[in-house]
Amino acid sequence: MDPYKYLKIRFNPDGSLVRYGEAPLIPASPAGEPVAVAATNAEDTEDEPARRRIVVVHSNDVPLNAATGTSLRLYVPSAAAAAAARRRRLPLIIYFHGGGYVLFRASSAPFHATCASLAAATPASVASVDYRLAPEHRLPAAFDDAADAVRWAAAQSHHHRGRPVFVMGSHNGASIALRAALAAGDQGVALRGVVLNQPHAGGTRRTPAEEASVDDRVLPLPANDLLWDLALPVGVDRDHQFCNEGAMLAAVGEPRLRRLPPCLVLGRRKDPPRDRTRRLVEALREAGVDVEARLDGAGYHAMELFKDNCAAEFIAQVADFVRRRSADADDDSAGDVVGVSKL
């Protein structure tokens, strides 16, 4: 297969990429958009046990770092959904989208839908980071942008004392989220939890799952290799710490890992990086991190972007984790709800 054609990319003469097959970009909706979410058990009835409810979610784009051109898309649920949080501060989820460091934006349709659904279902405020993409900006650019997002969250926490803060990412965004969590620990920013959805890692020596992924329907091996070639610094291979989970863990060290808050790690049975995800979970647990691992999700890589049932399960898992880990918020956080004006 031609991985360039599969990924629908080609080079410009200046070395930048033409990305000609990407998902549509969705404009922000300051006035709000309706999002359907599953009714809670308390809302279920005998006549409609599986009914859904509509939550209006407002979104705005704001700058993150003017020097690098990065931004955030902020999502806030309606006042009615916020009231369902029982007058406690809404959690803040800092979110990093997927795409192999090369594809997609915070406003890309699948990830916009994910963040709007998370904001509505949890409920929570979500800050989706529009980080710089490779190869125009090779790693560690995206990790530097993650550190900027942590500093932004720290400033928000200063103004909204007691708000539970989480970092979360999907696919390569999960690897960025882990770096963001480490940066938060270094900067003294308190996090309630980390969500790592199908972390993307690699290495020069293939795992059994990678060897079996040559013709994978979502992340075939040639395309996976090309993404790493475009994302990593020039002249390094996949054993670099930006790619290989073992090298990353060794470089970080157990003392820094030990500072991580509770982690939810999600995986799928046919995801090519699944062997490396298991190694990551084992290493985090060995370092003393509280890890909830659910690695037996149905289907292939990123199925929550393609299948409604997988999306619903994914949103429910993350919302449940955030609610549980927010439940021990300080009592003095009661009585403040983040409204649309907080965008």
Side-chain angles (χ1 to χ4, degrees), residues 16 54 75 262:
S16 63
I54 299 298
Y75 300 81

Side-chain angles (χ1 to χ4, degrees), residues 275-287:
D275 296 331
R276 299 184 185 277
T277 300
R278 293 189 184 96
R279 293 176 186 172
L280 175 63
V281 167
E282 292 170 0
L284 292 175
R285 285 174 169 164
E286 289 176 2

Side-chain angles (χ1 to χ4, degrees), residues 267-297:
R268 298 199 176 276
R269 290 193 293 270
K270 296 182 180 180
D271 189 23
R274 60 187 179 273
D275 296 331
R276 299 184 185 277
T277 300
R278 293 189 184 96
R279 293 176 186 172
L280 175 63
V281 167
E282 292 170 0
L284 292 175
R285 285 174 169 164
E286 289 176 2
V289 180
D290 180 359
V291 179
E292 299 180 30
R294 303 178 186 178
L295 307 181
D296 60 348

Side-chain angles (χ1 to χ4, degrees), residues 8-339:
K8 295 182 173 61
I9 58 176
R10 64 175 180 268
F11 274 107
N12 286 315
D14 64 358
S16 63
L17 280 186
V18 176
R19 300 165 174 87
Y20 60 87
E22 288 202 320
L25 301 181
I26 306 300
S29 181
E33 62 182 294
V35 178
V37 298
T40 64
N41 292 336
E43 295 169 318
D44 289 347
T45 67
E46 292 183 1
D47 295 331
E48 296 179 289
R51 68 188 178 94
R52 297 171 71 80
R53 58 191 172 93
I54 299 298
V55 175
V56 174
V57 175
H58 308 266
S59 56
N60 261 337
D61 295 327
V62 300
L64 176 60
N65 186 325
T68 58
T70 54
S71 63
L72 302 167
R73 174 160 291 187
L74 303 179
Y75 300 81
V76 174
S78 64
R86 300 187 179 181
R87 307 303 300 172
R88 302 184 77 86
R89 293 183 188 271
L90 284 179
L92 170 64
I93 303 172
I94 306 170
Y95 179 83
F96 299 92
H97 66 79
Y101 301 103
V102 173
L103 303 172
F104 302 117
R105 305 287 301 275
S107 58
S108 295
F111 298 107
H112 174 86
T114 293
C115 290
S117 294
L118 280 171
T122 306
S125 298
V126 179
S128 183
V129 183
D130 199 34
Y131 57 85
R132 289 172 290 172
L133 298 178
E136 295 88 348
H137 304 280
R138 291 175 177 266
L139 294 174
F143 301 151
D144 294 339
D145 298 340
D148 284 341
V150 168
R151 283 186 282 271
W152 174 87
Q156 296 296 305
S157 297
H158 178 74
H159 294 295
H160 306 291
R161 185 169 57 89
R163 174 196 282 183
V165 179
F166 296 78
V167 296
M168 169 184 175
S170 291
H171 321 135
N172 75 286
S175 299
I176 301 176
L178 182 56
R179 297 275 180 168
L182 292 167
D186 295 340
Q187 298 175 29
V189 178
L191 298 177
R192 297 282 178 170
V194 179
V195 180
L196 306 176
N197 177 38
Q198 303 164 71
H200 192 198
T204 57
R205 184 175 180 178
R206 308 292 191 191
T207 67
E210 289 166 347
E211 289 178 342
S213 71
V214 173
D215 298 317
D216 185 83
R217 65 174 61 184
V218 178
L219 191 62
L221 191 59
N224 196 7
D225 286 350
L226 176 58
L227 290 171
W228 283 120
D229 288 344
L230 296 173
L232 289 170
V234 174
V236 308
D237 62 24
R238 293 190 305 275
D239 286 335
H240 191 276
Q241 64 158 308
F242 293 164
C243 173
N244 184 278
E245 76 287 352
M248 181 275 292
L249 292 165
V252 170
E254 281 201 6
R256 289 182 70 204
L257 290 176
R258 200 173 296 119
R259 295 203 300 264
L260 288 172
C263 296
L264 172 65
V265 184
L266 302 174
R268 298 199 176 276
R269 290 193 293 270
K270 296 182 180 180
D271 189 23
R274 60 187 179 273
D275 296 331
R276 299 184 185 277
T277 300
R278 293 189 184 96
R279 293 176 186 172
L280 175 63
V281 167
E282 292 170 0
L284 292 175
R285 285 174 169 164
E286 289 176 2
V289 180
D290 180 359
V291 179
E292 299 180 30
R294 303 178 186 178
L295 307 181
D296 60 348
Y300 295 80
H301 182 76
M303 288 296 288
E304 72 279 2
L305 301 181
F306 311 119
K307 298 289 187 179
D308 288 345
N309 61 324
C310 293
E313 178 187 47
F314 168 66
I315 295 297
Q317 288 173 328
V318 176
D320 174 69
F321 176 79
V322 172
R323 286 193 294 263
R324 285 189 288 108
R325 295 299 178 176
S326 299
D328 60 352
D330 295 338
D331 290 339
D332 63 4
S333 68
D336 181 50
V337 173
V338 178

